[in-house]
């Protein structure tokens, strides 16, 4: 229960007295609240537009809380009480249709919202059949037929819904109880509204993509105008990349493009504990974190394959289907093992056993002999040692992966993948797909936020240059 203040300050109660703190009292000034709401709306609109453009699988889904969650249990109780109340009203003598009338009006309104401008005849028919004044007269005369109205509503929904909903529409025709009919109709109308929104999103996506860069840039400029600190993390992110790039390039100037590429590469290994994520890539953080996990998985998979190839010899490696089967086993056993050191070490123990088993089976089928025991122990030991971040094989493969991804960034929008180093050709398809996904995120981000990055990089690379004003971000 909220803590209320009534009576004098000396009044006593079950709650301890609140201490007066050295902080502002009362509600915040309305102007500040208004600016906060405007800022939140800008961020929300920008995030939604960005997701629609970059995520081809984006769609709205029904909000279905878990039945075991508190929200799910409360929702179930409230819904059950709602429909039980309607059941009691319809079962009374004479039936009370006041609640049902409200629901019929809502159904009519929802159906009208699903109609397109060309549905002139259907709109007229809907107004005639669900004429609320006429329905009130039928109620007063005891002539209301809810099943007839429900059948019309279901048929109308069937003519408007997507083909994927046809089976659910047919199931509604088999319901006889008015409460179950109402419940099924409202559930289906909710799904149809989501289908309509998703259809609209798909229709607008081509137009949004044409204007996406200008739109996102303008929206971010609005956010920056309302909150000038919205670039603080981005400045720190880019300045770190500048320092590292200057340290690595001893001779010659440092280019802004190389700094940006280094900064983007940092995002693939960003620590989850670091809360100062760059604001300009925050909308893509989930995608970039996922790509970072894929990079770590690929490095580990390739490292296992490399040490296996070094120990088992080319004869076994060239057997048809051997490498593919081995890769599948390694990937399956290492899946989900990167969250902790203990999990990774345990997974690599199982991988080592599986690799030796498959190598021996392949050798027996070809040469009727297993790997020498000494080689088996060496192979197991090398695989088990891959849990270390400073393992030489992991470092080597990691550098090759980083080089591949940087090459894709330097080549502009990726049309053709750079040639892969030898150890990574075994995972060429996975790495190429990862590189394309990373490149698309980076190139779109650079197109949108390039004008914001330019003055930051100029100041970092040429410290003597005068600071730019807010207008330079336009």
């Amino acid at each position: 229960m909220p803590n209320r203040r009534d009576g004098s300050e000396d009044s006593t109660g079950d709650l301890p007295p609140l201490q007066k703190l050295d902080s502002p009292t009362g509600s915040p000034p309305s102007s500040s609240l208004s600016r906060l709401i405007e800022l939140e709306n800008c961020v929300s609109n920008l995030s939604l537009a960005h997701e629609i453009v970059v995520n081809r699988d984006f769609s709205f889904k029904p909000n279905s809380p878990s039945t075991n969650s508190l929200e799910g249990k409360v929702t179930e109780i409230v819904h059950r009480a709602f429909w039980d109340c309607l059941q009691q009203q319809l079962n009374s003598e004479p039936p009370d249709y006041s609640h049902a009338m409200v629901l019929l009006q809502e159904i009519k309104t929802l159906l009208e919202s699903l109609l397109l401008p060309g549905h002139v005849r259907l709109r007229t028919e809907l107004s005639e059949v669900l004429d609320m004044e006429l329905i009130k007269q039928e109620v007063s005369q005891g002539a209301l037929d809810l099943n007839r109205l429900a059948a019309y509503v279901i048929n109308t929904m069937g003519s408007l819904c997507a083909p994927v909903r046809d089976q659910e529409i047919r199931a509604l025709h088999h319901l006889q109880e008015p409460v179950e009919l109402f419940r099924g109709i409202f559930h289906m109308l909710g799904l149809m509204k989501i289908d309509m929104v998703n259809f609209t999103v798909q229709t607008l996506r081509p137009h949004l993509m044409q204007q996406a860069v200008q739109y996102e840039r303008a929206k971010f400029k609005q956010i920056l105008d309302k909150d000038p600190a919205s670039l603080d993390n981005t400045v720190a992110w880019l300045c770190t990349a500048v320092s590292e790039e200057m340290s690595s390039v001893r001779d010659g100037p440092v280019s802004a493009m190389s700094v940006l590429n280094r900064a983007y590469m940092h995002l693939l290994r960003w620590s989850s504990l670091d809360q100062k994520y760059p604001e300009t890539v925050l909308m893509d953080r989930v995608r970039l974190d996922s790509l970072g996990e894929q990079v770590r998985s690929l490095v580990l998979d390739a490292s296992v394959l490399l040490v296996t190839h070094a120990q088992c010899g080319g004869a076994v490696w060239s057997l048809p289907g051997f490498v593919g089967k081995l890769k599948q086993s390694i990937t399956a056993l290492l899946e989900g093992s990167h969250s902790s050191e203990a999990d990774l070490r345990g997974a690599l123990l199982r991988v080592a056993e599986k690799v030796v088993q498959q190598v021996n089976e392949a050798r027996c089928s070809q040469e009727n002999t297993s790997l020498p025991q000494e080689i088996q122990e060496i192979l197991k030991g090398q695989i088990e040692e891959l849990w270390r971040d400073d393992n030489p094989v992991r470092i080597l493969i990691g550098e090759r992966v980083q080089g591949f991804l940087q090459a894709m960034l330097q080549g502009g929008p990726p049309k053709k993948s750079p040639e892969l180093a030898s150890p990574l050709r075994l995972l060429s398809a996975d790495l190429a797909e990862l590189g394309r996904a990373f490149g698309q995120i980076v190139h779109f981000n650079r197109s949108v936020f390039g004008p914001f990055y330019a003055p930051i990089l100029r100041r970092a690379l040429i410290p003597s240059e005068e600071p730019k004003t807010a207008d330079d971000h336009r």
Side-chain angles (χ1 to χ4, degrees):
M1 182 175 180
N3 181 28
R4 293 183 179 179
R5 178 178 175 177
D6 51 33
S8 68
E9 295 184 26
D10 297 329
S11 62
T12 60
D14 295 333
L15 294 176
L18 298 178
Q19 300 296 322
K20 185 176 180 180
L21 303 178
D22 294 330
S23 60
T25 59
S27 60
S30 59
S31 59
S32 299
L33 180 59
S34 174
R35 287 175 63 85
L36 185 62
I37 293 174
E38 289 178 10
L39 179 61
E40 184 178 354
N41 288 337
C42 281
V43 173
S44 178
N45 292 339
L46 177 58
S47 299
L48 179 59
H50 182 79
E51 197 66 26
I52 291 173
V53 169
V54 303
N55 184 3
R56 294 184 178 275
D57 298 324
F58 174 81
S59 64
F60 291 94
K61 295 178 175 57
N63 181 22
S64 302
S66 171
T67 55
N68 296 325
S69 66
L70 177 61
E71 181 185 1
K73 292 177 181 178
V74 171
T75 301
E76 181 183 358
I77 292 171
V78 172
H79 284 194
R80 188 187 307 121
F82 180 89
W83 296 114
D84 286 348
C85 178
L86 177 62
Q87 186 71 65
Q88 291 176 4
Q89 289 184 351
L90 296 180
N91 289 342
S92 61
E93 289 294 339
D96 180 0
Y97 290 109
S98 58
H99 196 171
M101 291 284 291
V102 174
L103 296 182
L104 284 172
Q105 178 61 58
E106 289 186 17
I107 289 172
K108 179 181 179 181
T109 302
L110 287 171
L111 284 173
E112 288 175 339
S113 70
L114 295 173
L115 296 179
L116 298 175
H119 290 142
V120 178
R121 184 191 61 80
L122 191 55
R123 190 180 299 274
T124 302
E125 183 182 280
L126 184 62
S127 299
E128 293 174 352
V129 176
L130 294 182
D131 184 340
M132 300 312 297
E133 291 300 322
L134 179 60
I135 291 174
K136 286 179 182 178
Q137 295 177 18
E138 292 177 348
V139 169
S140 63
Q141 298 172 7
L144 179 63
D145 186 352
L146 283 177
N147 289 78
R148 177 185 65 84
L149 294 177
Y152 169 77
V153 168
I154 294 170
N155 287 332
T156 303
M157 290 193 303
S159 66
L160 295 174
C161 72
V164 71
R165 305 294 181 193
D166 287 347
Q167 185 174 352
E168 294 167 278
I169 290 291
R170 286 193 293 269
L172 289 178
H173 282 292
H174 298 296
L175 300 178
Q176 297 298 323
E177 291 295 326
V179 172
E180 291 303 316
L181 279 169
F182 272 119
R183 193 168 190 166
I185 287 170
F186 272 100
H187 174 70
M188 181 55 58
L189 285 172
L191 295 178
M192 290 174 65
K193 283 176 62 179
I194 294 174
D195 292 342
M196 177 63 76
V197 170
N198 287 331
F199 172 75
T200 304
V201 167
Q202 293 295 333
T203 304
L204 290 176
R205 176 173 281 121
H207 304 286
L208 282 174
M209 292 183 70
Q210 293 176 3
Q211 306 295 329
V213 171
Q214 291 80 5
Y215 176 82
E216 291 197 21
R217 189 182 296 163
K219 279 294 179 184
F220 190 79
K221 180 62 173 63
Q222 291 179 20
I223 294 171
L224 198 58
D225 289 341
K226 298 178 189 302
D227 182 12
S230 296
L231 271 177
D232 288 356
N233 293 345
T234 300
V235 171
W237 167 60
L238 292 176
C239 287
T240 299
V242 168
S243 299
E244 294 183 2
E245 189 68 17
M246 285 182 168
S247 299
S248 65
V249 179
R250 298 183 179 180
D251 299 323
V254 173
S255 71
M257 188 62 69
S258 64
V259 170
L260 265 181
N261 289 342
R262 180 181 288 270
Y264 285 124
M265 294 300 296
H266 279 179
L267 299 174
L268 295 178
R269 52 183 186 275
W270 196 275
S271 171
S272 59
L273 301 177
D274 189 348
Q275 300 299 317
K276 295 183 178 181
Y277 204 81
E279 299 88 350
T280 52
V281 285
L282 195 57
M283 293 181 293
D284 288 311
R285 180 167 190 176
V286 172
R287 279 176 282 273
L288 288 166
D289 286 349
S290 176
L291 291 176
E293 285 294 323
Q294 293 179 47
V295 168
R296 288 186 283 276
S297 297
L298 279 173
V299 168
L300 205 53
D301 290 353
S303 299
V304 174
L305 289 170
L306 183 59
V307 299
T308 304
H309 177 263
Q311 295 298 335
C312 73
V316 172
W317 206 255
S318 61
L319 289 175
F322 173 75
V323 175
K325 183 179 178 182
L326 184 65
K327 174 180 173 293
Q328 289 178 354
S329 299
I330 294 169
T331 302
L333 290 172
L334 290 177
E335 185 176 2
S337 64
H338 300 270
S339 57
S340 71
E341 179 183 303
D343 289 343
L344 182 56
R345 296 183 73 167
L348 285 170
L349 286 173
R350 294 188 292 274
V351 168
E353 294 291 339
K354 186 66 175 178
V355 167
V356 169
Q357 175 191 339
Q358 290 188 221
V359 169
N360 283 336
E361 289 175 354
R363 283 177 61 93
C364 287
S365 67
Q366 185 188 38
E367 304 173 1
N368 201 27
T369 180
S370 301
L371 274 177
Q373 188 63 35
E374 180 183 357
I375 300 299
Q376 292 186 34
E377 294 303 321
I378 292 175
L379 178 56
K380 286 183 180 180
Q382 289 180 342
I383 292 175
E384 292 167 10
E385 283 297 305
L386 290 173
W387 69 271
R388 299 180 183 276
D389 290 334
D390 60 352
N391 181 275
V393 177
R394 278 184 64 180
I395 292 175
L396 172 65
I397 297 296
E399 290 174 350
R400 298 294 176 85
V401 170
Q402 296 287 324
F404 173 82
L405 294 177
Q406 285 182 332
M408 294 199 75
L409 295 185
Q410 292 167 358
K415 298 178 181 178
K416 182 180 179 181
S417 301
E419 185 177 351
L420 292 169
S422 178
L424 292 170
R425 288 176 189 156
L426 303 170
L427 299 166
S428 58
D430 296 329
L431 187 54
E433 180 58 34
L434 190 154
R436 280 190 290 271
F438 182 51
Q440 288 171 358
I441 293 174
V442 167
H443 294 301
F444 184 78
N445 180 271
R446 188 183 291 156
S447 298
V448 173
F449 296 102
F452 299 95
Y453 296 150
I456 298 171
L457 292 173
R458 277 198 298 268
R459 290 195 295 270
L461 293 171
I462 312 174
S464 60
E465 184 169 305
E466 289 296 322
K468 300 294 180 181
T469 64
D471 291 336
D472 291 320
H473 293 304
R474 294 182 185 275

